């Protein structure tokens, strides 16, 4: 029940898991948040953050590598490591690759 102010530059990724939303910082701290990913996605700078799926928004700075998988999906390895498999949904792959190239 503590409020912790964060700078967007501290955010590595935002994700949903079991009906809760979390922010993971680059220092490896995880904070539960009350806002939906839709609201958070609108507040984050699209130059620095991309919504890779319904359940995850990732910072460009958090991406270590990207591996192409069969079926057209992309798997992201991040720092800090995510507690789930971070994959770009098929419908967002083209937009994600365009975002990376900018």
């Amino acid at each position: 029940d503590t409020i912790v102010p964060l700078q967007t530059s501290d955010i590595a990724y935002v994700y949903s898991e079991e009906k809760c939303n979390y922010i993971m910082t680059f220092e490896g701290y995880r904070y539960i948040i009350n806002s939906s990913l839709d609201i958070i996605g609108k507040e984050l700078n699209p130059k620095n953050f991309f919504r890779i799926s319904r359940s995850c928004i990732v910072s460009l700075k958090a991406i270590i590598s990207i591996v192409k998988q069969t079926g057209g999906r992309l798997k992201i390895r991040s720092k800090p490591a995510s507690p789930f498999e971070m994959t770009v949904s098929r419908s967002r792959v083209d937009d994600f690759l365009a975002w990376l190239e900018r």
Side-chain angles (χ1 to χ4, degrees):
D1 294 329
T2 304
I3 297 173
V4 179
L6 290 174
Q7 300 292 319
T8 55
S9 59
D10 295 334
I11 299 172
Y13 47 89
V14 183
Y15 67 99
S16 293
E17 184 177 69
E18 297 182 17
K19 298 184 182 183
C20 290
N21 297 323
Y22 301 94
I23 288 178
M24 181 66 80
T25 67
F26 284 103
E27 293 179 349
Y29 295 110
R30 182 175 87 156
Y31 299 100
I32 193 165
I33 52 173
N34 293 325
S35 299
S36 70
L37 263 61
D38 289 335
I39 291 170
I40 294 168
K42 290 176 185 175
E43 295 174 351
L44 295 171
N45 185 336
K47 285 185 174 183
N48 301 321
F49 293 90
F50 190 88
R51 187 158 186 180
I52 61 169
S53 66
R54 288 186 306 168
S55 62
C56 185
I57 300 169
V58 67
S59 166
L60 179 61
K61 294 189 316 183
I63 298 171
I64 294 174
S65 64
I66 302 162
V67 177
K68 291 184 180 182
Q69 296 183 311
T70 56
R73 290 182 142 197
L74 301 174
K75 182 177 177 181
I76 296 174
R77 201 171 113 231
S78 65
K79 186 172 183 175
S82 64
F84 57 94
E85 188 170 286
M86 193 180 283
T87 56
V88 180
S89 60
R90 281 185 221 119
S91 62
R92 298 173 194 233
V93 167
D94 291 338
D95 291 337
F96 177 74
L97 292 173
W99 174 75
L100 280 176
E101 290 178 3
R102 288 186 289 155

